[in-house]
Amino acid sequence: MKILVTGGTGYIGSHTVVELQQQGHQVVIVDNLSNSRGEVIDAIAKITGIKPEFYQFDLTDAEKSKQFFKSQPDIDAIIHFAAYKAVGESMAEPLMYYRNNLDSLINILQGMKDNGISRIVFSSSCTVYGQPDELPVKETSPVKEAWSPYGNTKQMSEQILKFACDAYALQVIALRYFNPVGAHESAQIGELPMGVPNNLVPYITQTAIGIRPRLMVFGNDYSTPDGTPVRDYLHVVDLAKAHVTAVERLQTEAQKMPYEVFNLGTGTGYSVLEVIRAFERVSGLKLNFKITARRPGDIEKVWADTSFANSELGWKAVYGLDDMMRSAWKWEQALMQQKLPGRY
Ligand code: NAD
Ligand code: WQD
């Protein structure tokens, strides 16, 4: 298939492009590089031997988006990653989040409608569940009132897709990711947070390499086995492979329903302290960390029921927590060699 990957130079997008190319698909990337670097295109080419076609523009620009779709009449499917994703920033700048995440989706759906493209895989998030009443969380668990504008854009995007699916006879798969971490084994691509990271794993690796003096562990008074919050961490390469499976499911018309939702996680929850211990185990280092106050808005625990993705999508995560930490550490060390500006 010829697959449009929006946000394809980003963290999850770049890993997905690699897996798509390795399965013989042709990829076209659109990204405005608002949260990624153009060099990722060369890194992808180094891994796969194929340089993906790349267009740099903002998908919220309706006219540019229209022109793009006109110039690409043979797109078979879309994987839509492009979005802003920082929860805290979305609290401070809600309109920026609604505009970016919703306008870009609407422009893509318009492009699909106008050009007869019917297949789309969408990046959703476990954030749509908030703190679920029952664990592990199933796809049928209630979507609760959003805790952040970011989470709200994912809930609204899913609704927009559902109605568009019915109205325009689309085939849609929404993938609700839990906590993607780690990097490609080649250490050519990985997560590249701009400035101080919000997420746990890049904060750990940046602390270990000396960019940050100390990791703050946000609270150890939760109702969890060691008091620190529990999440379902998932290797980004496993996650990338799930996108290949999902888009091929659309191609082969294997869907049971035109609009489907799948949880993507490992099904196992780990606490913050367990993640730190895994990192120390694989790196052989002692991490400098300190327990501090809870981070406002953090939920206590969440992990996925992955049985629907395992049985129906035919996908299962294979990497464990140590693999995730090992690859994240290898990537951090590779990044250090590059001396990128804006990381310190
Ligand atoms: P990322 O920021 O690394 O990648 C997103 C890419 O989209 C970036 O390269 C950015 O430049 C691009 N982009 C953003 N707005 C754009 C626009 N208007 N036009 C063109 N390009 C634009 O993020 P990621 O971690 O790879 O996440 C990808 C998707 O997965 C996002 O939709 C995110 O919300 C979702 N998601 C991420 C996580 C996570 O923890 N990383 C978890 C659940 C869901
Ligand atoms: C994990 C755990 C923190 C940093 C976020 C988004 C969610 C989804 C995934 C996109 C928590 C603790 C963290 C630090 C810490 N993204 N922590 N010290 O919050 O589960 O989810 O990313 O959809 O929507 O909210 O991930 O990596 O930020 O935190 O103690 O410096 O690590 O308290 O328990 P989170 P995270």
Side-chain angles (χ1 to χ4, degrees):
M1 280 187 284
K2 182 168 180 181
I3 300 169
L4 165 60
V5 180
T6 75
T9 48
Y11 174 42
I12 307 168
S14 57
H15 289 81
T16 302
V17 170
V18 165
E19 297 302 321
L20 287 167
Q21 289 186 332
Q22 287 178 339
Q23 291 309 311
H25 297 292
Q26 187 188 343
V27 174
V28 183
I29 294 176
V30 170
D31 200 301
N32 64 357
L33 303 183
S34 58
N35 197 37
S36 55
R37 301 166 68 236
E39 287 82 348
V40 169
I41 299 292
D42 299 323
I44 291 169
K46 265 194 194 146
I47 301 171
T48 64
I50 305 160
K51 196 165 180 163
E53 214 175 318
F54 172 56
Y55 298 89
Q56 182 182 351
F57 68 89
D58 189 333
L59 283 157
T60 65
D61 185 326
E63 197 45 46
K64 283 205 178 120
S65 177
K66 195 172 167 185
Q67 290 311 320
F68 168 78
F69 278 104
K70 246 198 197 152
S71 71
Q72 296 278 339
D74 51 351
I75 290 172
D76 296 302
I78 299 173
I79 305 181
H80 178 40
F81 292 103
Y84 293 155
K85 62 165 181 176
V87 174
E89 185 183 55
S90 81
M91 306 294 277
E93 293 288 352
L95 295 183
M96 187 173 115
Y97 271 67
Y98 287 112
R99 205 181 291 285
N100 193 60
N101 295 2
L102 300 181
D103 279 1
S104 56
L105 175 64
I106 291 166
N107 288 339
I108 287 162
L109 288 168
Q110 187 70 51
M112 293 175 71
K113 177 174 181 268
D114 293 346
N115 296 281
I117 303 164
S118 64
R119 308 177 183 115
I120 182 165
V121 176
F122 175 70
S123 294
S124 191
S125 168
C126 67
T127 195
V128 302
Y129 298 116
Q131 175 62 68
D133 297 326
E134 278 178 37
L135 289 168
V137 60
K138 290 185 178 9
E139 289 83 353
T140 48
S141 298
V143 166
K144 294 209 182 148
E145 197 179 330
W147 289 33
S148 70
Y150 166 70
N152 196 207
T153 67
K154 292 297 173 192
Q155 297 177 339
M156 292 171 79
S157 296
E158 286 196 14
Q159 288 175 317
I160 291 168
L161 280 161
K162 199 162 192 305
F163 285 118
C165 179
D166 290 344
Y168 311 129
L170 305 181
Q171 297 168 259
V172 181
I173 293 181
L175 299 174
R176 292 178 179 162
Y177 320 152
F178 281 63
N179 286 55
V181 299
H184 194 264
E185 58 166 12
S186 64
Q188 293 287 341
I189 52 172
E191 193 168 6
L192 193 57
M194 307 275 186
V196 182
N198 297 307
N199 297 112
L200 178 63
V201 174
Y203 212 108
I204 288 177
T205 57
Q206 290 196 8
T207 303
I209 213 148
I211 299 174
R212 313 280 156 215
R214 179 151 70 172
L215 169 77
M216 300 299 174
V217 173
F218 300 136
N220 67 348
D221 57 351
Y222 288 94
S223 170
T224 59
D226 63 22
T228 62
V230 171
R231 300 285 186 274
D232 187 338
Y233 297 93
L234 156 79
H235 199 301
V236 67
V237 171
D238 273 332
L239 179 57
K241 287 183 174 160
H243 289 78
V244 180
T245 309
V247 81
E248 289 177 351
R249 180 177 174 86
L250 298 179
Q251 180 189 26
T252 57
E253 303 194 349
Q255 283 185 290
K256 295 278 158 63
M257 304 287 285
Y259 179 85
E260 292 179 326
V261 178
F262 294 98
N263 281 345
L264 298 179
T266 63
T268 305
Y270 289 106
S271 73
V272 175
L273 292 180
E274 284 176 309
V275 174
I276 293 173
R277 257 180 250 122
F279 176 79
E280 290 184 333
R281 194 162 50 236
V282 303
S283 67
L285 299 171
K286 198 95 199 89
L287 193 75
N288 187 13
F289 71 91
K290 182 178 184 239
I291 311 285
T292 58
R294 290 183 178 199
R295 180 171 68 178
D298 267 351
I299 59 163
E300 184 167 86
K301 51 191 165 195
V302 65
W303 60 93
D305 182 328
T306 60
S307 51
F308 190 49
N310 300 157
S311 63
E312 191 52 46
L313 197 57
W315 168 90
K316 197 171 176 15
V318 299
Y319 293 108
L321 187 60
D322 284 11
D323 303 314
M324 300 177 210
M325 294 301 119
R326 204 175 289 115
S327 65
W329 182 226
K330 191 174 171 192
W331 165 242
E332 187 66 65
Q333 291 171 293
L335 266 181
M336 199 60 180
Q337 308 296 321
Q338 296 184 30
K339 301 245 178 309
L340 297 178
R343 301 185 68 232
Y344 308 98

